[in-house]
Amino acid sequence: NSGITLVENPTLKLFYNDDGSVNYDEVRAMVLEQIASTTPEGLTADDLHVTYYAASSLTGLKHDWVDIEGSSRYPAMSSGEQRIKISYDGNEFYYGTEVEFTVNVEVGRDDSRLEFCENPTIKLVYNDDLSIDYSAAYQAIFNLLETKEPEDITLDDLTIEYYASVLASHEWMPLEGGKGSGVNIALTFPGISEGTQTIRVSYAGDKTHNPTSVTAEVTVLGRPEVNVEQNDGPYNVSFVFADAENYDYDSTARAIYDAVVASNDQGLGYEDFTIEYNASKAGSALPVFMPLDCNDIRYNKLTDGTWTIRFSWNGTAAYKDGYFDVEVTVTDSREASAVVLKDGAEITYNMDASVMEQA
């Protein structure tokens, strides 16, 4: 006995590893069970050499019989209609032979499905050093998937990328960004930022489910701006004095703050603001903001007059940095000193200073 009798309309099912790749050893092991109605007594899958008629990976024109795993020039066998050849050597019980037939190769897995919710939006989370918490970003995107089939898909099962751009070049990148590939190999793409971003979520599949992917435009929110509500102007502030001759610049800055700032929506206090004045001299092309106690001869010293005052603040994990400028009039409220002589008073100048003091 040397023959194999095929079932009518033979079908070959693919089998898979845990990572979703085809397990060709298992496909080969199950060939007889799936396509043969009768086989020579004692013939097992280990006795078989299974090949398929493959088209060249390069041109698709050249064909040859290759192992179902494929080779450097031919792809591995995939689903669809394929020509299969089974051969085996003879032994004392049966003759060697080969059988060639056309078979429908089935995918052998259920379809997977991923779908985003409507108007998908995430908010970036920042660390204390103002770097983005990318782990939180991946989790936030995963949470936007309202449909996940199979239902037990986890974040670790998915590849999440965004369509990054730099210097008019684009490439799919992890949320952290990274080095480009191919024609972009010399480029480094930035991490994801706020705005509308194209996000792709891919599932490689597993033993029972096919690969799939979904792409969506996702609104990515960053930290909020600080909105400062100002008191009604104009702003007039008197210098605060440390003593009879010197200004107390810290207290003067606080007086300016109290005159200008009514409130803000992020809970900043006076100590969170830096208050400076435009100290640039006439003819300067750009403003130069300096602390109120600036004593550098290259810049104007803060004196009586109307000045551009800048309020600025550093960003945190909760809000962005920023600034605003206002015009503030600062005055020295001390009365001018004066020496008034009595009517008819006379002073005679003497070179002796002690005599003059008595006068």
Side-chain angles (χ1 to χ4, degrees):
N1 184 12
S2 63
I4 292 178
T5 303
L6 302 178
V7 298
E8 188 175 354
N9 300 319
T11 297
L12 189 61
K13 179 181 176 182
L14 295 178
F15 296 89
Y16 300 86
N17 300 304
D18 290 336
D19 64 1
S21 61
V22 177
N23 185 335
Y24 287 102
D25 288 336
E26 188 170 2
V27 173
R28 188 180 295 105
M30 297 298 292
V31 164
L32 289 180
E33 183 176 321
Q34 293 187 76
I35 60 91
S37 60
T38 62
T39 61
E41 184 178 354
L43 182 68
T44 68
D46 292 337
D47 302 320
L48 304 180
H49 183 210
V50 182
T51 58
Y52 89 108
Y53 198 56
S56 167
S57 300
L58 298 177
T59 65
L61 299 178
K62 184 178 179 181
H63 292 73
D64 200 357
W65 291 100
V66 299
D67 290 337
I68 58 176
E69 294 92 341
S71 67
S72 60
R73 296 183 179 182
Y74 294 92
M77 184 181 71
S78 59
S79 60
E81 187 175 273
Q82 303 284 2
R83 288 174 63 189
I84 302 291
K85 182 192 293 184
I86 297 175
S87 60
Y88 52 90
D89 297 328
N91 60 22
E92 58 184 301
F93 301 107
Y94 51 80
Y95 296 107
T97 190
E98 66 180 30
V99 180
E100 183 181 326
F101 55 93
T102 299
V103 64
N104 179 39
V105 179
E106 293 184 345
V107 173
R109 295 186 290 189
D110 295 330
D111 286 336
S112 304
R113 192 156 67 101
L114 299 171
E115 289 184 1
F116 277 97
C117 63
E118 289 189 21
N119 304 316
T121 301
I122 66 167
K123 188 177 189 304
L124 295 177
V125 175
Y126 291 79
N127 301 307
D128 290 339
D129 63 0
L130 304 188
S131 61
I132 294 174
D133 184 341
Y134 289 107
S135 295
Y138 281 112
Q139 184 63 54
I141 293 172
F142 178 79
N143 293 342
L144 295 177
L145 297 170
E146 66 178 10
T147 300
K148 296 186 287 288
E149 294 179 4
E151 295 181 352
D152 60 354
I153 286 178
T154 68
L155 177 57
D156 291 337
D157 297 323
L158 303 177
T159 299
I160 298 177
E161 303 164 295
Y162 89 106
Y163 200 50
S165 63
V166 63
L167 299 178
S169 295
H170 302 270
E171 191 167 328
W172 290 106
M173 279 283 147
L175 303 186
E176 299 91 337
K179 296 288 291 183
S181 60
V183 296
N184 296 326
I185 195 168
L187 301 177
T188 299
F189 290 83
I192 194 170
S193 59
E194 61 186 280
T196 300
Q197 303 284 0
T198 304
I199 303 292
R200 182 173 69 183
V201 181
S202 304
Y203 174 55
D206 61 12
K207 283 187 173 183
T208 58
H209 286 81
N210 289 321
T212 191
S213 66
V214 62
T215 302
E217 299 297 304
V218 175
T219 300
V220 180
L221 303 177
R223 297 169 295 166
E225 305 278 357
V226 177
N227 296 307
V228 178
E229 182 179 350
Q230 300 176 23
N231 294 314
D232 293 335
Y235 307 113
N236 298 288
V237 176
S238 296
F239 276 110
V240 178
F241 295 90
D243 52 45
E245 297 181 357
N246 299 295
Y247 296 136
D248 182 339
Y249 288 103
D250 289 339
S251 297
T252 300
R254 179 58 194 250
I256 294 173
Y257 171 85
D258 290 339
V260 174
V261 176
S263 64
N264 66 84
D265 62 355
Q266 296 298 326
L268 278 70
Y270 164 70
E271 64 280 358
D272 297 311
F273 288 88
T274 297
I275 299 175
E276 299 171 304
Y277 75 107
N278 180 14
S280 61
K281 292 190 174 183
S284 176
L286 297 172
V288 179
F289 288 91
M290 300 296 291
L292 302 190
D293 60 355
C294 175
N295 202 29
D296 191 319
I297 61 173
R298 294 173 298 173
Y299 306 112
N300 288 323
K301 185 175 177 62
L302 185 68
T303 58
D304 281 14
T306 299
W307 300 87
T308 300
I309 302 295
R310 172 162 292 180
F311 289 75
S312 61
W313 55 91
N314 294 324
T316 70
Y319 54 79
K320 293 180 180 179
D321 60 342
Y323 71 89
F324 67 91
D325 298 337
V326 294
E327 299 296 308
V328 177
T329 299
V330 184
T331 58
D332 187 329
S333 59
R334 294 175 296 182
E335 295 183 1
S337 301
V339 176
V340 181
L341 299 178
K342 296 179 180 179
D343 290 341
E346 294 182 358
I347 297 177
T348 301
Y349 177 73
N350 193 300
M351 294 292 290
D352 187 340
S354 62
V355 175
M356 290 300 300
E357 289 176 357
Q358 295 175 7

